[in-house]
Amino acid sequence: MRRVTGQPRPDWEKTIEAQGLGFHRNVPQGEGRPYWDESVHYAFTLGQVEDLELVVSELHDMCLQAVDHVVKTRGFAAYGIPEWLWRPITRSWERRDPHLFGRFDLCYDGTGHAKLLEYNADTPTSLVESSVIQWYWKQDAHPAADQWNSLHEALIGRWREILRPGTMLHLAHTDTDEAGEDALNVAYMADVASQAGLQVRHLTMEAIGSDGRGFYDLGNHPIEHLFKLYPWEWVTTEGFGRAAVDAQSGQPWVEPLWKMLLSNKALLAVLWELYPDHPNLLPAYVGTPHGMTSYIAKPLLGREGAGMRIVQPHQVIETAGPYGAEGYLFQEFWPLPDVDGWHPVLGAWVVGDTPAGLGIRETAGLITDDTSSFVPHLIHD
């Protein structure tokens, strides 16, 4: 795995904006570089990518086994999930309500075992950068090279498996998304769903109405199938939360309710309990560091690196954020690789049950947050 420098394309800003990535101008340049940075890329061998595909496939299977374990043992308490949700989540899993996609965040240096840092299973973002923007960069700048990237085709295929062509699908995000990232991801998802033969309507969560029995858009059209880029832990605390949960028995939303067991960082402790000493896992525990002297404390429902605390014998590093009241996951601290002074996190995508691509964020610090730059990658042999 090599970090390679190069010259950005002339007028690259206009190019990526024409391809849909407009919100990059709204991301603070906390490290003095743009959010999309094509002046560098990471180069992998085909063998490394094939190994990572196997890792992602195994991690995905392990996560499904973890859901099954939690449901069968009623191990919801570690997640901090209210008891009124235990039965609906169980029923959602027993029905195998269809799931669409997720992103595993991995620590990997090209030589040792990739380590799972966390799993973004309910509302993963950076989809457009991973699927579209870096693909067209490759086509323009390195047309003879390859890339681990079948996201676009995989999403179209998965939507065809979830819903019949001609079905109406509503897609929603929150209007509190000031940067525009969520809106972009939902717009792209609407595009791939349309290419899968679905009818699509794009709206915000705040524009969804409910009469206590069903849900409707502003045109009073019934919302029978919904893709939401809005986490279940937020939905269930809204005034319409119970009605939304009750609706899942008829027309489950995407992502399904059982994904609450994968989008919560307590998953990492369950995985470590089920698969101790697995080469792709790190020791992890809910509520206590369990005697570890170097660890990272992660809010169970935290996002974008907010509210974290890295504890080492010689220093403590903390990030601000609104999360933590729900409890913490304590995971062994595993430093990110240092590649020319930068620290990459690999975001490995799974669509349905199949590995489908890679996106990379990197930062000069130890915690990847919402200002960390996205850089493309290639496969070189």
Side-chain angles (χ1 to χ4, degrees), residues 254-265:
V254 178
E255 296 293 324
L257 191 59
W258 59 261
K259 278 270 184 115
M260 288 189 76
L261 299 180
L262 296 184
S263 60
N264 185 309
K265 292 179 181 62

Side-chain angles (χ1 to χ4, degrees), residues 35-56:
Y35 169 72
W36 166 266
D37 188 354
E38 61 181 63
S39 69
V40 298
H41 71 268
Y42 281 84
F44 297 82
T45 68
L46 179 59
Q48 288 171 329
V49 169
E50 289 174 339
D51 287 344
L52 287 170
E53 286 183 307
L54 292 175
V55 168
V56 171

Side-chain angles (χ1 to χ4, degrees), residues 295-347:
Y295 59 87
I296 180 166
K298 301 179 177 182
L300 294 180
L301 301 175
R303 296 173 174 274
E304 299 284 6
M308 290 190 177
R309 185 170 74 256
I310 296 177
V311 175
Q312 299 180 81
H314 62 285
Q315 67 174 346
V316 175
I317 300 174
E318 296 185 79
T319 60
Y323 309 104
E326 71 278 15
Y328 283 85
L329 181 284
F330 294 84
Q331 184 184 52
E332 180 183 282
F333 176 61
W334 194 269
L336 298 174
D338 187 327
V339 187
D340 300 332
W342 294 94
H343 307 291
V345 169
L346 275 58

Side-chain angles (χ1 to χ4, degrees), residues 16 36 44 71 75 91 105 110 130 153 156 164 226 230 234 238 269 297 332 349:
I16 66 172
W36 166 266
F44 297 82
V71 167
R91 294 292 177 259
D105 286 350
S130 299
E153 297 79 8
I156 292 172
R164 292 190 301 270
L226 178 70
Y230 194 78
W234 295 0
E238 301 278 7
E332 180 183 282
W349 293 89

Side-chain angles (χ1 to χ4, degrees), residues 33 49 79 186 209 239 306 368:
R33 58 189 297 204
V49 169
Y79 284 76
V186 170
T368 305

Side-chain angles (χ1 to χ4, degrees), residues 11 53 59 93 210 220-221 232 243 257 265 288 312 327 357:
D11 294 327
E53 286 183 307
L59 287 173
W93 174 246
S210 173
N220 209 32
H221 302 104
W232 269 113
L257 191 59
K265 292 179 181 62
T288 171
Q312 299 180 81

Side-chain angles (χ1 to χ4, degrees), residues 17-18 58 159 204 225 243 270 293 326 333 344 348:
E17 288 167 10
E58 183 175 6
W159 276 118
T204 65
H225 302 283
V270 175
T293 57
E326 71 278 15
F333 176 61

